[in-house]
Amino acid sequence: MPTNLPPEAKNKWKEVQATKNSREKLRLLEEFLGLVPRHKGTAKLCVQVKKQMKTLRQEIEEKKRKKTGRSGPKLFLAKEGAAQIALLGLTNVGKSSLLAAVTNAKVEVSAHSYTTREPVPGILNFEDIQFQIVEAPALMEGSADGRAWGLQTLAVARNADGLILMVDLSQNPVDQLSLVLDELEKANISVTQPKTRVEVERKFMGAGMRIIVFGRLVDCTFKEVEALLKSYNATDAVVKIYGEAKLAEVEEAIFEKAVHKPTIIIANKTDTQNAEDNLKSLQAYVNGKMSIIAVSCQTGIGLKKLGVALFKKMDIIRVYTKEPNEREYSKKPFILRRNATVSELAKNIHSDLTEKFSFARVWAKRLTYSPQKVGSSFVLEDGDIAEIHIK
Ligand SMILES: Nc1nc2c(ncn2[C@@H]2O[C@H](COP(=O)(O)OP(=O)(O)OP(=O)(O)O)[C@@H](O)[C@H]2O)c(=O)[nH]1
Ligand SMILES: [Mg+2]
């Protein structure tokens, strides 16, 4: 559904984009909203803008509190470890119990609803790396529309590298999961690889417009996409389109980027009655699209699987480095994405290394001769040891 915004609204949006100041942005968003005609095509946009405004208000509040030294809920938590994983679910499913069982965090577990009211981080050790797990305050129907702390919880999810969705097997898990997925979808966060993805990235002045279509435009032409962006006064931008995209989806991406998060499901309370049947219906509903780990935070069953499941889902590898003149390699690995090359490793070690790179020597079980002399495009695997030589 096209929004058919009048030019004044589009101009106002450009002003919104241009400012970094929270208060100014809030004021401009308010003005923008006043210029948006109300009809079916703009409903989603209005919700999105209101959401942004609410988040900005919270941000302003947070800054004020910081100045006065009063503490209050934080909007974002600094990342630690190999990845930050947001732990989401309805109330009482056992999120705090999981954090208490697998991390060092001190959390309150309670049979009362809505005990956790601000994000709580904890560190999970897996072999020689760490994952940071952040329990976010419970989701509920209406979270994405700003009910209770919903927007804060969804902001934690959006900012995280991956998600754990937790359900309670003593209740209907399908209802719980579909509610959580609905709220995530409303917040433009997808948990499975979406078929369509549109990215609009504004660039510095003079960069010009580049539209790159990896997939296919369904109901419009290149020229129409360009005209749409120009109507929003975006003359310097890179637009990437994956999968089959409609013009309306390109327009949506101008306002909020859809994000995809690698996600696993934890089905908790396997120790309760009906848990087995409930797990079966959950498996049927998910239908292999996401992996489900069945656990009991009370008895500890299944919890050991979490580390390896996260490691696999996050698609990361560990690479150990060695100085050319030393015998031992570093105990602390570099964390890289799967299929990363030696050149990416070099860039991770030091930004200078890409230019100075000459060759690398790699130790790995899969190689016939180890170490092997390799170039910058050599693909690394988990557990490899690399020694980088400079010119
Ligand atoms: N039987 C059983 N009860 C559990 C299990 N895990 C957690 N509980 C109970 O479930 C209740 C809620 O646990 P919490 O860990 O506080 O749940 P939460 O998801 O953090 O809830 P809020 O923060 O309040 O939204 C508590 O009474 C726990 O003792 C489990 O594996 N089995
Ligand atoms: Mg809790």
Side-chain angles (χ1 to χ4, degrees), residues 358-373:
S358 167
F359 68 93
R361 294 205 300 160
V362 172
W363 285 256
K365 283 203 187 88
R366 68 183 179 288
L367 299 173
T368 330
Y369 300 104
S370 225
Q372 185 179 309
K373 192 174 165 185

Side-chain angles (χ1 to χ4, degrees), residues 150-162:
L151 298 180
Q152 189 192 3
T153 291
L154 291 162
V156 170
R158 184 168 261 272
N159 189 48
D161 304 305

Side-chain angles (χ1 to χ4, degrees), residues 322-334:
K322 203 173 96 44
E323 295 283 342
N325 44 18
E326 274 177 23
R327 286 178 59 188
E328 294 290 313
Y329 59 86
S330 68
K331 289 287 166 280
K332 210 171 153 256
F334 277 88

